[in-house]
């Protein structure tokens, strides 16, 4: 077995032990696995399925139901474009389209090399700054399409 795979298996086993192999603790188990890897590797889901005797399809269903759980790694920089009502009215769609063009990906995707992940969020509660883009928890308000390149350069 590859060293990396062995390490993953050991970490998942420790997490399962922490929750005493309780099937009712599936979501916290998945959250703890993701905390260590920033996503849920398929092998970890298979191990949880086997150890807890829960069908893989059920584990997968839970992992894809919760937006906070991810089956793929995120980029080094996370970009969230707010699509709440105020941001939408103030041009968030055009800002998102400019981000997609500059990065060469669609919302929900990662750039090659995992430098950036682009996502949309429903509302970040900063309507007075609309439209808002958040990069690595840093808020950029009154976003315009012409600001997109400069924002991305800052994080490249």
């Amino acid at each position: 077995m590859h060293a990396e795979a062995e390490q993953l298996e050991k970490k998942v086993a420790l997490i399962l032990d922490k929750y005493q192999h309780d099937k009712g603790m599936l979501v916290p188990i998945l959250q703890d696995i993701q905390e260590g890897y920033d996503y849920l590797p398929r092998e970890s889901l298979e191990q949880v399925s086997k150890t807890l005797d829960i069908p893989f399809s059920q584990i997968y269903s839970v992992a894809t139901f919760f937006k906070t759980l991810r089956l793929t790694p995120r980029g080094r920089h996370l970009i969230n474009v707010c699509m709440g009502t105020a941001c939408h009215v103030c041009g968030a769609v055009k800002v998102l389209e400019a981000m997609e063009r500059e990065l060469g990906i669609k919302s929900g995707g990662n750039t090659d090399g995992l430098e950036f992940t682009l996502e949309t969020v429903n509302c970040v509660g900063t309507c007075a700054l609309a439209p808002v883009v958040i990069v690595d928890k840093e808020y950029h308000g009154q976003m315009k399409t012409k600001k997109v390149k400069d924002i991305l350069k800052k994080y490249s």
Side-chain angles (χ1 to χ4, degrees):
M1 184 182 278
H2 191 266
E4 203 173 293
E6 278 183 20
Q7 186 179 16
L8 173 63
E9 188 175 311
K10 286 178 184 176
K11 284 184 178 183
V12 171
L14 287 172
I15 292 167
L16 290 165
D17 289 346
K18 172 183 169 183
Y19 290 99
Q20 301 172 344
H21 298 218
D22 183 349
K23 293 179 183 185
M25 299 302 288
L26 179 59
V27 172
I29 289 168
L30 296 177
Q31 289 171 327
D32 281 9
I33 294 168
Q34 180 170 286
E35 189 175 310
Y37 291 92
D38 197 36
Y39 77 108
L40 295 168
R42 181 179 180 91
E43 299 81 8
S44 69
L45 300 180
E46 290 169 350
Q47 183 177 349
V48 170
S49 171
K50 183 178 177 185
T51 304
L52 298 183
D53 195 30
I54 299 173
F56 181 82
S57 60
Q58 187 176 342
I59 305 279
Y60 184 85
S61 178
V62 170
T64 57
F65 177 78
F66 293 99
K67 187 171 170 98
T68 58
L69 296 174
R70 294 176 299 285
L71 298 177
T72 57
R74 274 192 176 160
R76 211 176 65 211
H77 300 289
L78 174 62
I79 302 170
N80 283 303
V81 179
C82 181
M83 300 303 280
T85 303
C87 288
H88 185 80
V89 168
C90 292
V93 173
K94 293 209 179 293
V95 170
L96 176 63
E97 290 169 348
M99 286 276 184
E100 289 174 335
R101 273 192 309 277
E102 284 300 316
L103 295 170
I105 59 173
K106 291 290 183 190
S107 177
N110 297 315
T111 58
D112 291 341
L114 293 176
E115 176 136 10
F116 292 101
T117 296
L118 178 62
E119 296 180 348
T120 60
V121 291
N122 292 332
C123 182
V124 295
T126 56
C127 302
L129 300 175
V132 174
V133 170
I134 306 165
V135 183
D136 297 339
K137 299 181 183 177
E138 185 176 345
Y139 287 67
H140 301 273
Q142 282 107 34
M143 276 298 297
K144 303 286 181 217
T145 57
K146 63 185 177 186
K147 293 182 181 180
V148 167
K149 282 184 184 179
D150 290 336
I151 296 287
L152 294 176
K153 280 182 194 172
K154 180 178 177 180
Y155 298 94
S156 295

